[in-house]
Amino acid sequence: MDTSGLSLDWISQFSAHGGPRYLQIVTFMEQAISDERLRPGDRLPPQRLLADRLDVDLTTVTRAYNEARRRNLLEARGSAGTFVAAPKVDLSQVIDLSMNIPPSPSGIDLDDLLRQGVSQVLLHSDADLLMTYHLGGGSSADRAAGALWLAPMLGQVDPQRVLSSPGAQSALAALVLSQTQPGEIILAEPLTYPGLLSVAAQLGRRVVAVGVDGEGMRPDLLATLARQHRARLVYLNPTLHNPTTHTMPAGRRAEIAAVVTRMGLRIIEDDPYWHFATHAPRPLAHYAPRHVFHVSTLSKCLLPGLRTAYVVMPEGMAQDEVLAAMRSFVLMSTPLMTALTTQWIHGGTAASLLEGIRTEAWARQELALRTLGAPGAAESGGIHLWQALPAHWSAAEFVQAARREGLNVIAQDAFAVPEAALPAAAHIRISLGRARSRFELVNALRRLMELAHRRGWREVVV
């Protein structure tokens, strides 16, 4: 067969753990389009030729081409063949680079996974039980699933210390409500999770910033401000910090733990990105197990729709106050989603799903850095970037300009603790997971870069 004019150099080797082969073929295409090894108008091999080249059956290639067309990567031109599609331009479409959610997993058919998972839940569970009220905190199986999920970061955890919560925001609100009184101070870093600021404002608490250095929150300032404000509660996001991407090193974690232990403080350790970090240090809960509430949500590393987060209680602490606080605004987790989560963790599906998401997240990090002109490869992992802007851009102005271009990003102001000292350069957070494909992500980042180049651009912080 004459193969002249066909694009074949995008074909890669299958991975034994890369998921269904038809999806791996689509990933080959998507990666090549993002890298511009395949360009709009390039002709792809006939399906039978590609099947022979990859040593797979024709059905696998047909399914891959159909999926690629569904994603608007390819277009068929009758007898002329199949070609890389031109980018679809939808002037009304807004590409969301503002919401931190994990990308769709690489090499996994999520539709099939959900169908099979729900079918298994219904097969082994009583439908009436799935549709009635449940006690807060989770069943023994749910807590055991949480302990299993947390084992890579915390080691062996007594399942009785684990609470299942309908998302990290609910857990955070319950902890603030149960561990502080109205008017009390919560200590945090100058840039912190907006959900904490929202909870504090709604519950009548105040967040005060503790200064940081290159390793994170300063232990000396923590001790000083805790005494000054008679604060009892500290909030930290120590791994792939949102928004700065910074990971607190082990030595600093041990120093912070020593301060809270000596002063009898409590820490809410919000650790949603630990699984994405390379060589992540042990959590703060490892260094001060009697003083740390460790919160780990699946919304940032698996699927937001599972609505599941786990809270590890400090050793020796009763759960009644936290559960009562949680029941005051959210009675229980959704039983069907909780059952699905528990089944996936115990059965190993969650681990496979996480691996596919991590693979996609790393690929997106590397694509983003190349697109934005950052030198070197990604070392931090994670699903967002922290971007410094030129001096003549304010973060708010850039966000508004990007919105007019159909791009949503978040300004540093959303993360700023009131009255805190902020970096001299304005920053935005760019989230990488919400874009429907790598192709869409690269196009969005190029548009951001072009917008910034109208007035200048700076390096990416990772």
Side-chain angles (χ1 to χ4, degrees):
M1 179 180 296
D2 180 16
T3 61
S4 60
L6 296 180
S7 299
L8 298 171
D9 63 348
W10 56 272
I11 299 172
S12 301
Q13 296 295 317
F14 289 118
S15 168
H17 305 290
R21 290 194 166 189
Y22 85 95
L23 286 178
Q24 291 194 54
I25 295 172
V26 177
T27 299
F28 299 160
M29 296 177 188
E30 193 172 54
Q31 184 71 51
I33 292 170
S34 298
D35 290 344
E36 298 187 331
R37 287 179 287 124
L38 281 176
R39 298 174 179 271
D42 284 351
R43 185 159 63 103
L44 269 69
Q47 295 179 25
R48 192 174 299 280
L49 173 61
L50 185 60
D52 290 341
R53 176 64 62 92
L54 294 174
D55 194 24
V56 297
D57 59 75
L58 180 61
T59 303
T60 298
V61 175
T62 299
R63 196 174 181 189
Y65 274 46
N66 288 339
E67 175 64 19
R69 280 193 291 269
R70 188 187 70 80
R71 298 187 190 184
N72 296 318
L73 300 176
L74 304 181
E75 60 183 8
R77 299 181 187 171
S79 60
T82 301
F83 296 79
V84 176
K88 298 286 191 246
V89 178
D90 181 356
L91 297 179
S92 67
Q93 179 187 1
V94 175
I95 299 177
D96 191 358
L97 303 175
S98 66
M99 180 68 73
N100 251 13
I101 65 171
S104 296
S106 176
I108 291 177
D109 189 327
L110 191 55
D111 290 346
D112 285 348
L113 200 66
L114 284 170
R115 279 193 291 267
Q116 293 172 15
V118 172
S119 294
Q120 288 297 311
V121 168
L122 295 175
L123 181 65
H124 296 103
S125 303
D126 186 327
D128 289 338
L129 290 177
L130 293 174
M131 293 295 112
T132 192
Y133 289 111
H134 289 235
L135 292 176
S139 67
S140 58
D142 300 332
R143 292 174 183 238
L148 183 60
W149 179 257
L150 295 161
M153 57 192 86
L154 289 175
Q156 186 172 354
V157 177
D158 181 355
Q160 293 307 307
R161 290 176 56 205
V162 179
L163 304 181
S164 177
S165 166
Q169 189 66 20
S170 299
L172 179 57
L175 292 172
V176 170
L177 183 61
S178 64
Q179 301 303 306
T180 61
Q181 296 296 319
E184 277 198 51
I185 297 296
I186 301 168
L187 300 176
E189 294 183 331
L191 293 165
T192 194
Y193 173 49
L196 171 70
L197 302 175
S198 175
V199 164
Q202 293 295 320
L203 296 179
R205 279 66 167 172
R206 189 159 69 94
V207 181
V208 169
V210 180
V212 298
D213 59 19
E215 295 190 337
M217 180 180 282
R218 286 176 49 182
D220 58 330
L221 294 181
L222 171 60
T224 298
L225 289 171
R227 283 192 296 267
Q228 177 183 334
H229 294 288
R230 297 182 180 179
R232 298 182 294 160
L233 191 63
V234 183
Y235 173 89
L236 284 167
N237 169 207
T239 309
L240 295 176
H241 176 260
N242 180 18
T244 68
T245 76
H246 176 262
T247 293
M248 182 183 289
R252 177 57 55 87
R253 296 180 189 222
E255 292 170 351
I256 294 289
V259 171
V260 301
T261 300
R262 184 176 72 250
M263 300 186 67
L265 309 178
R266 300 281 190 194
I267 293 177
I268 297 175
E269 180 179 29
D270 192 0
D271 210 8
Y273 307 113
W274 191 91
H275 285 288
F276 290 120
T278 55
H279 312 297
R282 299 292 294 272
L284 287 156
H286 167 75
Y287 297 96
R290 299 185 68 83
H291 295 265
V292 177
F293 298 93
H294 182 87
V295 182
S296 177
T297 180
L298 305 188
S299 294
K300 304 300 185 186
C301 59
L302 285 186
L303 300 169
L306 292 174
R307 300 311 307 140
T308 301
Y310 298 112
V311 180
V312 180
M313 298 288 293
E315 287 182 355
M317 184 176 182
Q319 303 172 5
D320 295 351
E321 287 187 355
V322 175
L323 287 174
M326 193 175 297
R327 283 195 294 270
S328 70
F329 52 84
V330 55
L331 184 62
M332 63 180 185
S333 302
T334 306
L336 179 59
M337 289 295 98
T338 301
L340 179 62
T341 302
T342 296
Q343 174 183 279
W344 275 359
I345 291 175
H346 283 297
T349 298
S352 298
L353 185 57
L354 174 63
E355 190 57 37
I357 291 169
R358 288 176 62 184
T359 297
E360 181 65 20
W362 274 91
R364 290 186 178 213
Q365 274 264 341
E366 292 176 355
L367 278 174
L369 294 178
R370 285 203 301 271
T371 302
L372 298 174
E379 295 181 356
S380 68
I383 56 176
H384 67 275
L385 302 175
W386 186 232
Q387 175 65 53
L389 297 173
H392 43 262
W393 278 113
S394 74
E397 288 173 341
F398 188 85
V399 167
Q400 290 298 321
R403 191 168 296 155
R404 290 192 292 270
E405 301 282 335
L407 301 167
N408 280 349
V409 292
I410 297 291
Q412 67 181 24
D413 304 33
F415 306 93
V417 172
E419 302 178 13
L422 298 180
H427 286 70
I428 58 170
R429 190 193 70 183
I430 303 172
S431 298
L432 306 177
R434 189 69 178 268
R436 292 171 297 182
S437 67
R438 298 178 194 175
F439 187 47
E440 181 178 273
L441 175 64
V442 167
N443 281 331
L445 293 173
R446 285 173 180 158
R447 288 164 57 191
L448 267 186
M449 185 170 62
E450 289 167 2
L451 172 63
H453 271 151
R454 296 172 196 171
R455 297 186 180 183
W457 193 241
R458 282 193 183 173
E459 71 281 0
V460 177
V461 178
V462 292

Short mmCIF file of all heavy atoms in Angstrom, two decimals, residues 385-421:
data_model
loop_
_atom_site.label_atom_id
_atom_site.label_comp_id
_atom_site.label_asym_id
_atom_site.label_seq_id
_atom_site.Cartn_x
_atom_site.Cartn_y
_atom_site.Cartn_z
N LEU A 385 -0.42 25.84 38.18
CA LEU A 385 0.81 26.62 38.12
C LEU A 385 0.57 27.96 38.78
O LEU A 385 -0.56 28.47 38.79
CB LEU A 385 1.24 26.84 36.66
CG LEU A 385 1.50 25.61 35.80
CD1 LEU A 385 1.81 26.04 34.37
CD2 LEU A 385 2.64 24.77 36.35
N TRP A 386 1.63 28.57 39.29
CA TRP A 386 1.58 29.88 39.93
C TRP A 386 2.41 30.81 39.08
O TRP A 386 3.63 30.69 38.99
CB TRP A 386 2.12 29.77 41.34
CG TRP A 386 2.04 30.96 42.23
CD1 TRP A 386 3.08 31.52 42.93
CD2 TRP A 386 0.89 31.71 42.58
NE1 TRP A 386 2.63 32.57 43.69
CE2 TRP A 386 1.27 32.72 43.49
CE3 TRP A 386 -0.47 31.65 42.20
CZ2 TRP A 386 0.38 33.63 44.03
CZ3 TRP A 386 -1.36 32.56 42.74
CH2 TRP A 386 -0.94 33.54 43.64
N GLN A 387 1.74 31.73 38.39
CA GLN A 387 2.37 32.53 37.35
C GLN A 387 2.58 33.98 37.77
O GLN A 387 1.62 34.68 38.13
CB GLN A 387 1.50 32.49 36.10
CG GLN A 387 1.98 33.38 34.97
CD GLN A 387 3.31 32.92 34.43
OE1 GLN A 387 3.45 31.77 34.06
NE2 GLN A 387 4.28 33.81 34.37
N ALA A 388 3.82 34.42 37.77
CA ALA A 388 4.12 35.83 38.03
C ALA A 388 3.82 36.66 36.78
O ALA A 388 4.06 36.23 35.66
CB ALA A 388 5.58 35.99 38.43
N LEU A 389 3.28 37.85 36.99
CA LEU A 389 2.94 38.74 35.89
C LEU A 389 3.93 39.89 35.80
O LEU A 389 4.57 40.25 36.80
CB LEU A 389 1.53 39.31 36.10
CG LEU A 389 0.39 38.30 36.10
CD1 LEU A 389 -0.91 39.00 36.49
CD2 LEU A 389 0.25 37.62 34.75
N PRO A 390 4.08 40.49 34.64
CA PRO A 390 4.94 41.67 34.51
C PRO A 390 4.45 42.80 35.42
O PRO A 390 3.28 42.87 35.79
CB PRO A 390 4.80 42.05 33.03
CG PRO A 390 4.33 40.81 32.35
CD PRO A 390 3.49 40.09 33.35
N ALA A 391 5.36 43.73 35.72
CA ALA A 391 5.08 44.77 36.71
C ALA A 391 3.92 45.66 36.30
O ALA A 391 3.19 46.17 37.15
CB ALA A 391 6.34 45.61 36.93
N HIS A 392 3.70 45.84 34.99
CA HIS A 392 2.63 46.74 34.57
C HIS A 392 1.27 46.05 34.49
O HIS A 392 0.30 46.67 34.10
CB HIS A 392 2.96 47.40 33.23
CG HIS A 392 3.55 46.45 32.23
ND1 HIS A 392 4.91 46.36 32.02
CD2 HIS A 392 2.98 45.55 31.41
CE1 HIS A 392 5.15 45.45 31.09
NE2 HIS A 392 4.00 44.95 30.70
N TRP A 393 1.21 44.77 34.84
CA TRP A 393 -0.08 44.10 34.98
C TRP A 393 -0.39 43.98 36.48
O TRP A 393 0.44 43.51 37.26
CB TRP A 393 -0.03 42.67 34.43
CG TRP A 393 -0.20 42.49 32.96
CD1 TRP A 393 0.74 42.05 32.08
CD2 TRP A 393 -1.40 42.66 32.20
NE1 TRP A 393 0.23 41.96 30.82
CE2 TRP A 393 -1.11 42.33 30.86
CE3 TRP A 393 -2.69 43.08 32.52
CZ2 TRP A 393 -2.05 42.40 29.85
CZ3 TRP A 393 -3.64 43.15 31.51
CH2 TRP A 393 -3.31 42.81 30.19
N SER A 394 -1.58 44.36 36.90
CA SER A 394 -2.07 43.90 38.19
C SER A 394 -2.79 42.58 37.94
O SER A 394 -3.24 42.29 36.82
CB SER A 394 -3.04 44.92 38.80
OG SER A 394 -4.29 44.88 38.13
N ALA A 395 -2.89 41.75 38.99
CA ALA A 395 -3.55 40.45 38.83
C ALA A 395 -5.00 40.64 38.41
O ALA A 395 -5.50 39.94 37.53
CB ALA A 395 -3.46 39.66 40.13
N ALA A 396 -5.68 41.60 39.02
CA ALA A 396 -7.10 41.82 38.70
C ALA A 396 -7.27 42.27 37.25
O ALA A 396 -8.19 41.82 36.55
CB ALA A 396 -7.69 42.86 39.65
N GLU A 397 -6.38 43.15 36.77
CA GLU A 397 -6.47 43.61 35.38
C GLU A 397 -6.24 42.46 34.41
O GLU A 397 -6.95 42.34 33.39
CB GLU A 397 -5.44 44.71 35.14
CG GLU A 397 -5.77 46.04 35.80
CD GLU A 397 -4.64 47.04 35.69
OE1 GLU A 397 -3.47 46.62 35.43
OE2 GLU A 397 -4.90 48.23 35.87
N PHE A 398 -5.25 41.61 34.72
CA PHE A 398 -4.97 40.51 33.81
C PHE A 398 -6.13 39.53 33.77
O PHE A 398 -6.49 39.02 32.70
CB PHE A 398 -3.68 39.80 34.21
CG PHE A 398 -3.25 38.76 33.20
CD1 PHE A 398 -2.50 39.13 32.11
CD2 PHE A 398 -3.62 37.43 33.34
CE1 PHE A 398 -2.12 38.19 31.15
CE2 PHE A 398 -3.25 36.49 32.40
CZ PHE A 398 -2.49 36.87 31.31
N VAL A 399 -6.71 39.23 34.92
CA VAL A 399 -7.85 38.31 34.97
C VAL A 399 -9.01 38.84 34.14
O VAL A 399 -9.66 38.10 33.39
CB VAL A 399 -8.28 38.06 36.43
CG1 VAL A 399 -9.63 37.37 36.50
CG2 VAL A 399 -7.23 37.21 37.14
N GLN A 400 -9.28 40.14 34.24
CA GLN A 400 -10.36 40.73 33.45
C GLN A 400 -10.03 40.67 31.95
O GLN A 400 -10.90 40.37 31.13
CB GLN A 400 -10.58 42.18 33.88
CG GLN A 400 -11.20 42.33 35.25
CD GLN A 400 -12.58 41.70 35.32
OE1 GLN A 400 -13.37 41.79 34.38
NE2 GLN A 400 -12.88 41.05 36.44
N ALA A 401 -8.78 40.94 31.60
CA ALA A 401 -8.39 40.88 30.19
C ALA A 401 -8.50 39.45 29.66
O ALA A 401 -8.97 39.23 28.53
CB ALA A 401 -6.96 41.40 30.03
N ALA A 402 -8.09 38.49 30.47
CA ALA A 402 -8.19 37.08 30.05
C ALA A 402 -9.66 36.68 29.88
O ALA A 402 -10.01 35.95 28.94
CB ALA A 402 -7.51 36.19 31.08
N ARG A 403 -10.51 37.15 30.77
CA ARG A 403 -11.93 36.81 30.67
C ARG A 403 -12.52 37.33 29.37
O ARG A 403 -13.37 36.67 28.75
CB ARG A 403 -12.67 37.38 31.88
CG ARG A 403 -14.10 36.87 32.04
CD ARG A 403 -14.65 37.25 33.40
NE ARG A 403 -13.88 36.57 34.44
CZ ARG A 403 -13.78 37.02 35.69
NH1 ARG A 403 -14.37 38.16 36.04
NH2 ARG A 403 -13.08 36.36 36.58
N ARG A 404 -12.09 38.50 28.95
CA ARG A 404 -12.58 39.03 27.67
C ARG A 404 -12.11 38.17 26.50
O ARG A 404 -12.73 38.19 25.43
CB ARG A 404 -12.12 40.48 27.50
CG ARG A 404 -12.83 41.46 28.43
CD ARG A 404 -12.56 42.91 28.03
NE ARG A 404 -11.17 43.29 28.24
CZ ARG A 404 -10.71 43.82 29.37
NH1 ARG A 404 -11.53 44.02 30.39
NH2 ARG A 404 -9.43 44.16 29.49
N GLU A 405 -11.02 37.44 26.71
CA GLU A 405 -10.51 36.53 25.68
C GLU A 405 -11.12 35.13 25.80
O GLU A 405 -10.74 34.22 25.07
CB GLU A 405 -8.99 36.41 25.81
CG GLU A 405 -8.23 37.71 25.66
CD GLU A 405 -8.09 38.13 24.21
OE1 GLU A 405 -8.14 37.25 23.33
OE2 GLU A 405 -7.92 39.34 23.95
N GLY A 406 -12.05 34.94 26.73
CA GLY A 406 -12.68 33.64 26.91
C GLY A 406 -11.87 32.68 27.76
O GLY A 406 -12.00 31.46 27.61
N LEU A 407 -11.04 33.21 28.65
CA LEU A 407 -10.17 32.39 29.50
C LEU A 407 -10.37 32.79 30.96
O LEU A 407 -10.27 33.97 31.29
CB LEU A 407 -8.71 32.57 29.11
CG LEU A 407 -8.33 32.23 27.67
CD1 LEU A 407 -6.94 32.76 27.35
CD2 LEU A 407 -8.40 30.73 27.43
N ASN A 408 -10.64 31.82 31.81
CA ASN A 408 -10.81 32.10 33.23
C ASN A 408 -9.58 31.65 34.00
O ASN A 408 -9.19 30.47 33.93
CB ASN A 408 -12.03 31.37 33.79
CG ASN A 408 -13.32 32.09 33.46
OD1 ASN A 408 -13.31 33.23 33.00
ND2 ASN A 408 -14.44 31.43 33.68
N VAL A 409 -8.97 32.55 34.75
CA VAL A 409 -7.88 32.25 35.68
C VAL A 409 -8.20 32.96 36.99
O VAL A 409 -9.16 33.74 37.07
CB VAL A 409 -6.50 32.68 35.15
CG1 VAL A 409 -6.09 31.84 33.95
CG2 VAL A 409 -6.50 34.17 34.78
N ILE A 410 -7.41 32.69 38.04
CA ILE A 410 -7.68 33.25 39.36
C ILE A 410 -6.55 34.21 39.76
O ILE A 410 -5.37 33.86 39.67
CB ILE A 410 -7.81 32.14 40.42
CG1 ILE A 410 -9.00 31.24 40.08
CG2 ILE A 410 -7.98 32.73 41.81
CD1 ILE A 410 -10.34 31.88 40.25
N ALA A 411 -6.93 35.39 40.25
CA ALA A 411 -5.96 36.37 40.73
C ALA A 411 -5.52 36.04 42.15
O ALA A 411 -6.26 35.38 42.91
CB ALA A 411 -6.56 37.77 40.69
N GLN A 412 -4.33 36.50 42.52
CA GLN A 412 -3.79 36.21 43.84
C GLN A 412 -4.67 36.75 44.97
O GLN A 412 -4.67 36.22 46.08
CB GLN A 412 -2.39 36.80 43.97
CG GLN A 412 -2.34 38.32 43.97
CD GLN A 412 -0.92 38.85 44.08
OE1 GLN A 412 0.03 38.17 43.72
NE2 GLN A 412 -0.78 40.06 44.58
N ASP A 413 -5.46 37.78 44.68
CA ASP A 413 -6.30 38.38 45.71
C ASP A 413 -7.25 37.37 46.33
O ASP A 413 -7.61 37.49 47.51
CB ASP A 413 -7.11 39.54 45.12
CG ASP A 413 -6.25 40.59 44.46
OD1 ASP A 413 -5.20 40.23 43.89
OD2 ASP A 413 -6.61 41.78 44.50
N ALA A 414 -7.68 36.37 45.55
CA ALA A 414 -8.63 35.38 46.06
C ALA A 414 -8.02 34.54 47.18
O ALA A 414 -8.75 33.97 47.99
CB ALA A 414 -9.10 34.47 44.93
N PHE A 415 -6.70 34.48 47.23
CA PHE A 415 -6.00 33.64 48.21
C PHE A 415 -5.42 34.44 49.37
O PHE A 415 -4.86 33.86 50.30
CB PHE A 415 -4.86 32.88 47.52
CG PHE A 415 -5.29 32.08 46.32
CD1 PHE A 415 -5.22 32.63 45.05
CD2 PHE A 415 -5.77 30.80 46.46
CE1 PHE A 415 -5.62 31.91 43.93
CE2 PHE A 415 -6.18 30.06 45.35
CZ PHE A 415 -6.11 30.62 44.09
N ALA A 416 -5.53 35.76 49.31
CA ALA A 416 -4.81 36.61 50.25
C ALA A 416 -5.54 36.73 51.58
O ALA A 416 -6.72 37.08 51.63
CB ALA A 416 -4.62 38.00 49.65
N VAL A 417 -4.83 36.43 52.66
CA VAL A 417 -5.35 36.67 54.00
C VAL A 417 -5.41 38.18 54.22
O VAL A 417 -4.47 38.89 53.86
CB VAL A 417 -4.44 36.00 55.06
CG1 VAL A 417 -4.86 36.42 56.47
CG2 VAL A 417 -4.49 34.48 54.90
N PRO A 418 -6.50 38.71 54.77
CA PRO A 418 -6.60 40.16 54.98
C PRO A 418 -5.39 40.72 55.73
O PRO A 418 -4.92 40.12 56.71
CB PRO A 418 -7.88 40.30 55.81
CG PRO A 418 -8.71 39.12 55.41
CD PRO A 418 -7.73 38.01 55.18
N GLU A 419 -4.89 41.84 55.25
CA GLU A 419 -3.78 42.57 55.84
C GLU A 419 -2.45 41.83 55.74
O GLU A 419 -1.45 42.25 56.34
CB GLU A 419 -4.07 42.91 57.31
CG GLU A 419 -5.34 43.72 57.50
CD GLU A 419 -5.64 44.00 58.96
OE1 GLU A 419 -4.76 43.78 59.81
OE2 GLU A 419 -6.77 44.44 59.24
N ALA A 420 -2.38 40.76 54.97
CA ALA A 420 -1.12 40.03 54.83
C ALA A 420 -0.22 40.71 53.81
O ALA A 420 -0.68 41.32 52.85
CB ALA A 420 -1.40 38.59 54.39
N ALA A 421 1.08 40.58 54.01
CA ALA A 421 2.06 41.07 53.04
C ALA A 421 2.16 40.08 51.89
O ALA A 421 2.36 38.88 52.10
CB ALA A 421 3.42 41.23 53.72
#
